[in-house]
């Protein structure tokens, strides 16, 4: 694993003593060391964190002991918390103080899951891409983790776009696709949308990141259903080819969780997926997201 401090190189004056940025893979991701997120974060430290997020797209803080309040306070440095699109009547019972907090867990009490998205593998997706203003960033904090599996894989959608052949770029630039999610589904095969019932929204297949101004692919296997204005068979074939292109190992960082990890990822230029894990082991993570804008 590389251990070069990119913060020291790019922010010699702003990097406070002991705060370092360590890339996690050639594709994306960086660990930030030397920050205790339970304590107030000064402007210089926050600037290192924000710059690292912009550069590496996914950032990791290890060995954190975070209350719900700590997590929310840190997330709010990046923007307003975003409410959950899922109706309250369809949510699992959760003991959380903030309605924006979601527990991701397979733990069941009295036969009912205490959280959402409980079991098994989950295909690549971007959080809430099926609503008008999808989540900008997701903060996920690990409380209980299985001994094997339940990893999260992250994918760099700038790199995936840049590597496309020119003729495919020409085909999809300016095109729109419908994104839809049947709550609880974890694979394309299991996502059987009823467009009268399930949330869906049409977004550009290639979006421009509002901060970096770079183009990123904005389609994914789990939730991107069809391409607007294209015949069904052609749309399905093109999407399949795009998904296969996107999901190449060279664009991916595979994160193995440890208890106390807090990850922040940018839904505007990354995808994420979960690997399978045993239903005999407990998995509990705490999630909140910050409000995003309408993609363009
Ligand atoms: Fe997700």
């Amino acid at each position: 694993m590389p251990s070069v401090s990119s913060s020291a190189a790019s922010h010699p004056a702003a990097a406070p003593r002991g705060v370092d940025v360590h890339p996690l893979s050639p594709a994306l991701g960086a660990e930030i060391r030397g920050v205790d997120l339970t304590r107030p974060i000064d402007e210089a430290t926050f600037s290192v964190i924000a710059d690292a997020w912009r550069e590496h797209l996914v950032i990791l803080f290890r060995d954190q002991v975070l209350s719900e309040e700590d997590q929310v306070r840190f997330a709010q440095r990046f923007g307003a918390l975003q409410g959950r699109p899922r109706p309250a009547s369809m949510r699992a019972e959760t003991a959380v103080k903030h309605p924006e907090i979601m527990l991701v867990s397979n733990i069941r009490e009295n036969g009912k899951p205490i959280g959402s998205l409980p079991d098994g593998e989950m295909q690549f997706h971007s959080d809430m891409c099926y609503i008008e203003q999808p989540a900008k960033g997701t903060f996920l904090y690990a409380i209980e983790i299985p001994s094997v599996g339940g990893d999260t894989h992250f994918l760099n959608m700038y790199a995936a776009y840049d590597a496309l052949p020119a003729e495919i770029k020409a085909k999809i630039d300016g095109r729109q696709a419908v994104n839809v999610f049947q709550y609880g589904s974890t694979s394309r095969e299991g996502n059987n949308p009823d467009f009268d019932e399930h949330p869906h929204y049409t977004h550009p297949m290639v979006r421009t990141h509002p901060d970096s101004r770079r183009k990123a692919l904005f389609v994914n296997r789990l939730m991107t259903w069809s391409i607007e204005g294209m015949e069904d068979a052609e749309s399905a074939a093109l999407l399949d080819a795009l998904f296969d292109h996107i999901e190449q190992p060279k664009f991916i960082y595979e994160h193995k969780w440890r208890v106390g990890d807090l990850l922040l990822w940018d839904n505007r230029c990354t995808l994420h997926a979960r690997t399978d894990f045993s239903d005999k082991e407990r998995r509990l993570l705490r999630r909140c997201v910050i409000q995003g804008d309408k993609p363009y």
Side-chain angles (χ1 to χ4, degrees):
M1 181 184 302
S3 59
V4 177
S5 169
S6 63
S7 65
S10 51
H11 301 280
R17 186 182 289 268
V19 178
D20 296 308
V21 180
H22 299 259
L24 289 164
S25 81
L28 74 166
E31 179 185 351
I32 300 183
R33 296 182 192 157
V35 178
D36 176 354
L37 297 175
T38 64
R39 303 182 66 80
I41 294 169
D42 60 35
E43 282 305 318
T45 302
F46 184 72
S47 160
V48 171
I49 295 170
D51 287 349
W53 189 39
R54 203 171 299 117
E55 182 177 346
H56 298 283
L57 321 184
V58 176
I59 53 176
L60 164 67
F61 300 87
R62 295 215 111 135
D63 304 318
Q64 303 290 320
V65 182
L66 301 182
S67 66
E68 182 179 325
E69 208 57 57
D70 293 328
Q71 184 172 349
V72 165
R73 191 183 338 102
F74 179 57
Q76 285 173 331
R77 292 291 294 265
F78 294 82
L81 290 190
Q82 183 162 7
R84 298 179 59 188
R86 189 186 306 219
S89 61
M90 292 175 64
R91 293 178 199 164
E93 293 294 320
T94 56
V96 294
K97 291 188 220 97
H98 299 80
E100 299 92 348
I101 288 277
M102 175 171 119
L103 298 180
V104 176
S105 186
N106 65 345
I107 299 170
R108 284 155 169 92
E109 288 177 359
N110 302 319
K112 284 188 174 173
I114 64 164
S116 298
L117 309 173
D119 303 313
E121 186 179 357
M122 192 164 183
Q123 288 179 341
F124 276 107
H125 63 281
S126 176
D127 289 333
M128 300 187 195
C129 66
Y130 48 85
I131 64 172
E132 182 178 14
Q133 296 182 311
K136 171 176 162 181
T138 300
F139 298 75
L140 192 58
Y141 175 64
I143 299 168
E144 293 187 66
I145 290 299
S147 59
V148 177
D151 306 338
T152 302
H153 292 184
F154 293 96
L155 209 155
N156 183 334
M157 294 290 265
Y158 291 134
Y161 175 76
D162 290 345
L164 280 173
E167 66 267 24
I168 302 291
K169 284 183 181 167
K171 235 180 193 171
I172 62 173
D173 270 327
R175 283 263 184 196
Q176 309 258 327
V178 181
N179 297 276
V180 62
F181 186 47
Q182 179 187 8
Y183 289 122
S185 60
T186 56
S187 71
R188 187 174 193 80
E189 297 67 38
N191 188 5
N192 291 309
D194 174 346
F195 284 88
D196 290 330
E197 185 187 340
H198 299 128
H200 56 279
Y201 208 86
T202 299
H203 288 302
M205 298 177 71
V206 179
R207 68 181 295 183
T208 302
H209 194 288
D211 299 332
S212 71
R213 314 301 306 166
R214 291 180 66 189
K215 285 184 174 181
L217 267 174
F218 196 59
V219 295
N220 65 79
R221 194 180 292 275
L222 179 57
M223 297 172 180
T224 305
W225 206 247
S226 60
I227 299 171
E228 292 279 277
M230 195 176 272
E231 190 265 321
D232 282 355
E234 188 186 4
S235 163
L238 181 50
L239 285 175
D240 275 348
L242 283 171
F243 301 149
D244 289 345
H245 164 81
I246 288 168
E247 294 171 10
Q248 296 183 69
K250 65 183 176 183
F251 303 133
I252 293 173
Y253 160 61
E254 300 183 4
H255 184 66
K256 292 199 182 304
W257 289 93
R258 286 184 354 203
V259 170
D261 284 354
L262 178 81
L263 273 173
L264 161 59
W265 64 84
D266 190 331
N267 286 296
R268 300 165 297 184
C269 54
T270 68
L271 299 181
H272 56 283
R274 181 173 73 195
T275 65
D276 203 6
F277 60 100
S278 167
D279 60 6
K280 307 283 187 296
E281 291 195 90
R282 289 161 64 103
R283 189 174 188 272
L284 172 62
L285 301 99
R286 189 202 291 134
R287 182 182 109 158
C288 61
V289 303
I290 42 175
Q291 179 72 49
D293 300 321
K294 191 174 188 306
Y296 58 87

